[in-house]
Amino acid sequence: ELRTDHAGETGAVMIYRGVLAVSRDPGVREFARHHLDTESHHLHLIEQVLPRGLRSRLLPVWRVVGFATGALPALFGARAVYATIESVETFVDRHYAAQVDFIDRFLARPMTGGEEPDLLPSIRPALLFVRALLEECRLDEVMHRDDAHARWERKPGRWLAAWGAAVGFGSNAAVRVCRHL
């Protein structure tokens, strides 16, 4: 699962770099710079706990896709950028929340007779650390989503709604692929 988070944060960094490469709107650029800093921090944190050998073998693909996911809407203006970020971060919030929930359920489950009794106590500190890291990232992503939403606060038209759905679908597909590659 951490492989998916690493790939996602890599993609997020590239989304904001794509926005910055294309947009000339000062407000969009300030937004992108601010959130790029946070995403870079998330990537650094996850790189500290996920060994290189366990990272996605498709990182070059995720970098290109992330850049395009930022650059393409930036061609169409601020509304498209903010709608894209809102869609991405809505997905990421759910993804991180599911991971945190999985850890919580794992830690709360009763031990069965066939399990090694020392296993849970020995990995509990690591699980709590990863849980805290994921929750920190999730809360930052929620702030990104809410910031994007507040900057345009409109219902998307047909094209932006379709683009948002495509972004959500693509994010979900990328997670499924990252679990294996």
Side-chain angles (χ1 to χ4, degrees), residues 15 18-19 22-23 28 65-85 88 160 163 167:
I15 286 171
V19 169
V22 173
S23 180
V28 169
V65 170
F67 188 89
T69 302
L72 185 62
L75 290 171
F76 294 95
R79 286 186 63 224
V81 169
Y82 299 139
T84 300
I85 299 306
V88 168
L160 273 182
W163 171 250
V167 167

Side-chain angles (χ1 to χ4, degrees), residues 48-59:
Q48 299 308 303
V49 297
L50 184 66
R52 238 182 233 290
L54 295 179
R55 296 175 189 171
S56 175
R57 292 186 299 257
L58 299 177
L59 283 176

Side-chain angles (χ1 to χ4, degrees), residues 19-30:
V19 169
L20 288 168
V22 173
S23 180
R24 297 296 161 239
D25 180 306
V28 169
R29 292 182 62 77
E30 175 270 323

